[in-house]
Amino acid sequence: MKIGIIGIGLTDFRIHKEPFYNLAFEAAKKAVNDAGIDRGDIDSFVLGGYDNLGVGRTIANMYVAPAAGGYLRHEIRVADDAAFALPMACMRILAGLSDICIVVGFGTTSEIPLELVELQSLDPLFYRPTNLSIWAYYAIQKYAYSSKFGVDEERIAECVVRDRKNAKSNPYAFKREELKLDDVLNSEYSVYPLRKLETAANCDGAVALILAEGTIAKRLSDSVVWIKGFGWSNSNYYFEDFERLPATKFAAEMAMKKAKMDSIKAFENYEVMDLVSNHQLMILEALGLADWGKGYEIADSLNLNSSGGALSTNAYGTTGLFLLANAAIKLREGLFDSSLVHAMSGYARRSCVSLLGV
Amino acid sequence: MRRVAIVGVGQTKFRTRREDKTHPELAFEAVKKTLEHSGLNINDIEAVVYGSMDPFDGIYRPELWDSTSSGIFKPHMKISTGGTTGLTTALAAYEHVASGLFDVVLAIAVQRVGECADAQSVLNTAVDPIYERHSGVGAIHVASFQATRYMHEFKATEEDIAWVSVKDHKNALKNPYAHIKMDVTVEDVLKSPVICSPLKLLECCPRSDGAAAAIFASEEVAKKIRDNPAWILGEVTISDNYYIGDRPNLAVWDSLALAGRRLYRAVGIDDPKKDIDVAELYSAFSIQEILELEALGFAKPGEGKDYAKNGITFPDGDIPTNPSGGVLCTNPIGASGLIRIIEASLQVMGEASNQVENARVALAHAWGGTLQFHTLFMVSSSKKFGR
Amino acid sequence: MEIVEFESFWNIPYKHSAGKHASKFFHALKEKKILGVKCPKCNRVLVPPRAFCERCFVECNDWVELKDEGVVETLSVTYVKFTGLPDPPYAVGVVKLDGADTGFLAYLGGIDLKDWKKVHEKFKPGTRVKAVWKDRPEGKITDILYFKPVEL
């Protein structure tokens, strides 16, 4: 059975002054219109995004379910970046329980103290008392990565330049001003050795995708974007392997295996959730596109982060789905024929990889 | 569609506080029991679905720490949907297997409300801060609204409703995992202090620490694991609008009635009273069982109030409801929904501690939000209803 | 062996945008007015007002002024102190305001709350109630102090 994306909806990604459920409504409504259907055609509503601390209220899906159009329908919420909700939606369709399913994600980074929120995910006994913020952890990763593999500062900082260059021509991205290598290298530090400009561009926004079972997708759309495969994985809670991203590796392997695809290098586009500069290279290596420490050698030869990546747009809770939507839009426009989209969460210890094609 | 069954279940003993274990250790206890019950080992588990209602436990995203208890480098998914969490976690695990992508999937739900100073203050954060949080409403209040309205519409007495508590407490005495073990009379219930009128202390659920888990397997694998798996006949989940004032009538749980109709249609149930042998319903407050029985077609509107009083919902009655003691006696919030399907499964497996005779078809239910969500599951000792 | 325990307090600040619709509602409260929205498709008048009708899945931008008077649908009196929640006793209920199709969650008051049976009798479902406003409304939901029974 094939699963296709037949509708895409996004709000602007910027700082909003609307509650998250209104953003979700906007994205869902856009997706429904884009697919040329009514909310009544959708039989299942799979929500993604964070809850309680991540959004400022408990059981956030109480508000998002009706906003997504799920009034008196089947709705479930995967509490993670919305990219992780895609497998749930796909599995429901594959099980024959759904024909048309909407996936909705939102992120309102501007309303939350992000670092304090993420800190509470560390256990109260051993890790939390160290006050290891996400940026501090990512900074440790940068340090471990660059010293273990001998990767220069400049190579890592180039990742920011790369993303911003792409964001400039992406109307959906948040931070779209190009940066020069010197701009990045001379900017102030966030947590040494990470510079502020090397960290994700926090903003708000919502994304909705309408998925349909293959035969129905073909009836409803002439420009279906097919979901060829997906995989997801966790990794050890206890910090190890600072210089690698094992969850990404396992997620990609699962996706390729389930899709029965051989070569991970065969994709014409890659969108990766680089929450900080060094992540971009680490993700390429974890995906298996380059040897450890050699990501910079291939980064420019790939069609990488045409969306601008997370370094240009990060709405905490839906960044992964944002990257996916961007890839899907470009696939529709014929800019490339296949895309691998990567997302991660939980101090980079969880990952979800989706494979798209036309 | 692929047939799926529950082949192993596990619960920890539920108490006010499990100070003897950390979060992942509590999760591990349930995982271990479930593996033992199914005869599988951790490497047989291909994927994990984890449910919890953070932030009660004082940890945001406890699945990160707890995932160490169920195997790392596995696909691991977090489900969190308020009170229905335990059952939507089961739903997600079921769909993992039904999709054909996995043969053996673990559903686990963990809650440590005992670590939170006051659950109601956390529940208050669920209420919309823009319009409604100021009104000091938590879960008990919304159930009290149901009780007030039901008593007004159907002339139910406090005594009628108190009987549900008597039944649940009696049933819990037979459940080795139950939290509250107290034999209470109607007078005991009526004399207990009023919390939110008209509901009294003994009509309200406790807060419990604990974990529960269940393993879902595909037909071919299930057959190899045990002779008496609990087959999943169907599942339904429904979401109403958020605002409490949007409910047309708080004495009638119409969103549950809708969900019930959909499930019965999918499974082929003609008459729930005759076709379903036992029900594990999420009745966190005495009044709720009454509304649930009526919404699900076990009783006509206004009739449900007499069921407990007349023994109908006792284990030896016509419509045994919550023989485990239910949520009223054990409530590890995010796990309570999973316990409903675990107890329902044990009933049709013939392994329940308070076994209903000849239980072949069982219903599991959970509600969540501001009386907003419902999830329902039908399990059976047969692969298909009616066989 | 003694189990070690740690105390922790969450003090996590948020700033929630009410958005255009709720903001309009709050500004109206300053003038002791309660506003709802009318769905252009199903014509229901919804309060609290919201950006979209969940049934029709369309935006709602037609504003309706409602009376600050209505009918009690249900209620409950709280007698227990919960951390962070108001000191008991306090009564909360759902009031169907005149002109609205949905109920409004609000405090009920103006009478002695000690005996819940008396409160339930005084405010029984169907009772007409009217809002008691703060003298100087601030544009917050608490400008409506409570609803009290309308003496015939």
Side-chain angles (χ1 to χ4, degrees):
Chain A
M1 183 202 293
K2 290 169 76 166
I3 302 174
I5 300 171
I6 60 166
I8 305 172
L10 297 104
T11 61
D12 289 340
F13 274 72
R14 54 177 171 81
I15 308 301
H16 281 275
K17 285 269 177 268
E18 282 291 329
F20 62 97
Y21 38 91
N22 287 349
L23 296 180
F25 170 72
E26 192 190 320
K29 186 89 189 183
K30 278 183 173 166
V32 167
N33 290 340
D34 184 57
I37 59 175
D38 287 320
R39 109 171 162 88
D41 295 316
I42 306 172
D43 55 59
S44 308
F45 296 76
V46 179
L47 312 180
Y50 293 108
D51 191 43
N52 57 83
L53 298 192
V55 69
R57 71 200 72 180
T58 307
I59 324 179
N61 63 309
M62 289 196 293
Y63 307 81
V64 184
Y71 179 65
L72 297 179
R73 317 306 283 274
H74 174 110
E75 171 261 328
I76 190 169
R77 189 268 304 276
V78 174
D80 210 326
D81 182 289
F84 290 76
L86 194 91
M88 185 73 252
C90 290
M91 287 192 289
R92 187 162 165 82
I93 296 173
L94 287 171
L97 294 167
S98 167
D99 288 333
I100 301 180
C101 182
I102 190 172
V103 179
V104 181
F106 67 90
T108 42
T109 332
S110 71
E111 290 198 353
I112 69 171
L114 178 65
E115 298 76 14
L116 189 56
V117 165
E118 287 268 76
L119 184 68
Q120 310 312 316
S121 73
L122 298 182
D123 70 275
L125 306 176
F126 307 112
Y127 284 168
R128 202 187 301 164
T130 66
N131 287 313
L132 183 74
S133 69
I134 33 172
W135 310 118
Y137 176 68
Y138 301 153
I140 293 176
Q141 286 186 304
K142 178 179 177 184
Y143 187 73
Y145 175 77
S146 62
S147 47
K148 171 126 189 172
F149 300 120
V151 181
D152 288 335
E153 271 266 51
E154 287 79 11
R155 296 261 117 97
I156 299 175
E158 263 162 19
C159 296
V160 185
V161 176
R162 194 173 291 124
D163 271 359
R164 288 296 196 90
K165 182 155 187 272
N166 290 334
K168 182 150 190 226
S169 33
N170 180 12
Y172 302 104
F174 172 48
K175 287 252 152 81
R176 301 180 56 198
E177 313 84 51
E178 277 198 77
L179 289 170
K180 293 200 283 293
L181 189 59
D182 280 338
D183 295 332
V184 182
L185 292 171
N186 295 331
S187 62
E188 61 172 309
Y189 283 108
S190 151
V191 179
Y192 183 84
L194 264 183
R195 294 185 180 75
K196 276 211 178 127
L197 283 178
E198 292 181 273
T199 65
N202 296 336
C203 59
D204 311 323
V207 183
L209 298 177
I210 315 264
L211 307 185
E213 180 275 326
T215 26
I216 296 167
K218 283 192 237 184
R219 287 288 191 139
L220 291 175
S221 169
D222 292 324
S223 52
V224 183
V225 174
W226 298 105
I227 298 172
K228 304 279 193 173
F230 47 90
W232 69 105
S233 179
N234 67 354
S235 58
N236 201 351
Y237 165 79
Y238 298 105
F239 296 125
E240 55 189 23
D241 278 342
F242 292 96
E243 67 279 353
R244 289 169 232 253
L245 295 168
T248 293
K249 179 170 178 291
F250 276 87
E253 281 171 8
M254 178 185 161
M256 294 297 285
K257 191 164 169 218
K258 297 282 184 194
K260 297 195 177 57
M261 285 178 155
D262 293 313
S263 176
I264 196 136
K265 300 186 183 181
F267 291 92
E268 293 181 17
N269 164 260
Y270 299 84
E271 300 293 326
V272 306
M273 193 160 149
D274 45 2
L275 294 167
V276 291
S277 54
N278 44 294
H279 281 162
Q280 195 184 105
L281 302 180
M282 292 167 74
I283 293 164
L284 295 179
E285 293 157 24
L287 289 175
L289 294 167
D291 288 334
W292 300 117
K294 302 285 184 215
Y296 70 87
E297 285 179 359
I298 50 121
D300 281 320
S301 59
L302 300 170
N303 181 332
L304 177 64
N305 283 357
S306 60
S307 60
L311 288 171
S312 306
T313 311
N314 181 39
Y316 176 70
T318 200
T319 304
L321 203 66
F322 169 81
L323 298 179
L324 210 142
N326 274 266
I329 289 168
K330 294 196 160 76
L331 280 159
R332 259 191 196 172
E333 290 169 1
L335 290 166
F336 36 76
D337 281 346
S338 60
S339 177
L340 180 151
V341 183
H342 159 274
M344 58 186 191
S345 73
Y347 280 71
R349 290 168 302 182
R350 283 163 94 79
S351 178
C352 180
V353 170
S354 301
L355 312 173
L356 308 178
V358 289
Chain B
M1 206 186 303
R2 226 179 173 206
R3 299 233 178 270
V4 182
I6 288 179
V7 295
V9 299
Q11 303 179 62
T12 61
K13 282 205 167 65
F14 298 99
R15 288 213 300 268
T16 308
R17 275 203 73 176
R18 285 294 308 266
E19 65 274 300
D20 57 319
K21 301 214 160 157
T22 62
H23 219 286
E25 287 163 3
L26 200 58
F28 184 68
E29 195 181 307
V31 174
K32 204 154 162 267
K33 283 203 167 133
T34 310
L35 289 173
E36 271 158 20
H37 188 230
S38 62
L40 296 171
N41 72 63
I42 194 73
N43 295 320
D44 296 319
I45 304 295
E46 298 167 9
V48 180
V49 184
Y50 177 102
S52 183
M53 210 185 135
D54 36 332
F56 282 112
D57 309 355
I59 305 183
Y60 173 60
R61 306 200 66 192
E63 70 274 15
L64 300 175
W65 195 17
D66 283 9
S67 65
T68 49
S69 69
S70 52
I72 57 173
F73 300 130
K74 286 193 216 278
H76 193 279
M77 191 176 277
K78 161 84 177 291
I79 301 290
S80 166
T81 58
T84 50
T85 296
L87 209 47
T88 48
T89 299
L91 192 150
Y94 161 70
E95 293 186 2
H96 271 58
V97 182
S99 72
L101 289 180
F102 303 101
D103 283 320
V104 183
V105 176
L106 174 76
I108 171 155
V110 190
Q111 202 74 64
R112 302 199 58 173
V113 205
E115 298 223 317
C116 176
D118 193 324
Q120 290 307 314
S121 62
V122 176
L123 282 160
N124 188 237
T125 59
V127 180
D128 168 30
I130 290 170
Y131 287 125
E132 298 182 333
R133 194 176 288 169
H134 71 290
S135 58
V137 165
I140 307 180
H141 304 78
V142 295
S144 315
F145 288 162
Q146 290 178 307
T148 301
R149 188 77 206 184
Y150 185 88
M151 286 170 76
H152 172 79
E153 286 231 359
F154 298 111
K155 308 288 170 267
T157 63
E158 293 165 66
E159 197 181 291
D160 292 333
I161 304 174
W163 268 103
V164 177
S165 173
V166 171
K167 170 184 69 76
D168 281 356
H169 281 98
K170 233 186 199 46
N171 285 339
L173 293 173
K174 293 223 174 111
N175 180 356
Y177 303 106
H179 178 184
I180 305 293
K181 287 194 190 279
M182 244 160 74
D183 202 353
V184 305
T185 61
V186 172
E187 289 81 65
D188 292 332
V189 178
L190 294 176
K191 284 209 188 90
S192 61
V194 176
I195 307 292
C196 295
S197 60
L199 294 176
K200 300 149 192 78
L201 182 65
L202 287 174
E203 298 184 281
C204 300
C205 55
R207 296 169 356 185
S208 321
D209 269 10
I215 297 178
F216 289 76
S218 61
E219 184 173 356
E220 316 84 69
V221 176
K223 286 186 176 144
K224 293 190 205 137
I225 293 175
R226 69 188 320 119
D227 293 327
N228 61 340
W231 295 100
I232 309 295
L233 297 185
E235 41 101 329
V236 158
T237 190
I238 194 170
S239 290
D240 198 343
N241 201 24
Y242 160 74
Y243 295 105
I244 244 282
D246 284 10
R247 318 267 170 269
N249 182 351
L250 283 162
V252 175
W253 222 335
D254 57 345
S255 52
L256 178 55
L258 256 170
R261 282 168 59 89
R262 288 178 191 165
L263 180 68
Y264 297 157
R265 196 183 302 138
V267 173
I269 301 277
D270 292 320
D271 182 355
K273 291 196 297 296
K274 291 205 205 83
D275 298 337
I276 300 171
D277 301 314
V278 56
E280 281 282 336
L281 308 179
Y282 199 113
S283 175
F285 306 94
S286 52
I287 180 67
Q288 297 190 318
E289 182 178 290
I290 296 170
L291 265 71
E292 288 156 7
L293 290 168
E294 293 180 8
L296 288 165
F298 291 106
K300 293 205 198 69
E303 250 183 28
K305 66 177 170 38
D306 300 319
Y307 271 32
K309 188 170 60 190
N310 295 338
I312 296 174
T313 43
F314 276 74
D316 55 356
D318 282 332
I319 304 171
T321 306
N322 292 339
S324 64
V327 181
L328 197 72
C329 297
T330 306
N331 189 17
I333 305 172
S336 294
L338 188 56
I339 296 171
R340 306 278 69 70
I341 193 175
I342 286 174
E343 290 290 344
S345 297
L346 286 169
Q347 288 287 340
V348 305
M349 284 177 178
E351 296 182 25
S353 47
N354 195 4
Q355 183 69 47
V356 167
E357 237 183 278
N358 288 328
R360 279 190 265 272
V361 179
L363 180 67
H365 159 257
W367 70 267
T370 51
L371 309 176
Q372 184 179 1
F373 315 131
H374 296 281
T375 301
L376 289 168
F377 258 95
M378 196 80 76
V379 297
S380 170
S381 50
S382 310
K383 269 186 279 180
K384 207 173 153 74
F385 176 70
R387 273 235 215 101
Chain C
M1 181 200 60
E2 198 194 309
I3 303 279
V4 180
E5 290 189 322
F6 298 99
E7 261 192 339
S8 98
F9 293 91
W10 273 354
N11 193 354
I12 306 188
Y14 292 93
K15 202 166 199 183
H16 295 299
S17 268
K20 292 189 293 290
H21 286 71
S23 296
K24 198 173 160 94
F25 173 85
F26 290 118
H27 286 304
L29 287 181
K30 284 193 212 147
E31 296 159 45
K32 297 192 183 176
K33 287 198 184 135
I34 302 178
L35 296 184
V37 283
K38 191 173 174 145
C39 169
K41 234 175 142 193
C42 65
N43 289 321
R44 287 186 308 156
V45 174
L46 308 167
V47 70
R50 51 206 81 167
F52 59 89
C53 169
E54 68 284 352
R55 283 189 205 177
C56 308
F57 210 51
V58 292
E59 270 194 52
C60 297
N61 292 310
D62 300 327
W63 292 88
V64 175
E65 191 186 328
L66 300 161
K67 275 194 92 171
D68 62 352
E69 219 182 283
V71 164
V72 174
E73 298 208 309
T74 187
L75 73 143
S76 178
V77 191
T78 302
Y79 290 97
V80 169
K81 171 73 185 166
F82 298 110
T83 312
L85 292 187
D87 291 334
Y90 60 93
V92 200
V94 178
V95 177
K96 186 74 99 51
L97 298 170
D98 291 345
D101 288 292
T102 59
F104 190 71
L105 187 66
Y107 284 115
L108 303 175
I111 68 167
D112 189 331
L113 299 177
K114 229 186 348 256
D115 183 343
W116 70 269
K117 293 200 180 160
K118 290 211 175 100
V119 182
H120 275 240
E121 180 49 44
K122 197 79 200 219
F123 279 112
K124 67 172 179 276
T127 307
R128 278 203 73 79
V129 291
K130 189 172 162 68
V132 172
W133 294 85
K134 223 182 205 164
D135 284 328
R136 269 190 273 270
E138 297 161 28
K140 291 190 186 147
I141 199 79
T142 39
D143 289 344
I144 301 171
L145 294 172
Y146 52 81
F147 281 78
K148 72 162 199 261
V150 169
E151 307 299 345
L152 296 153

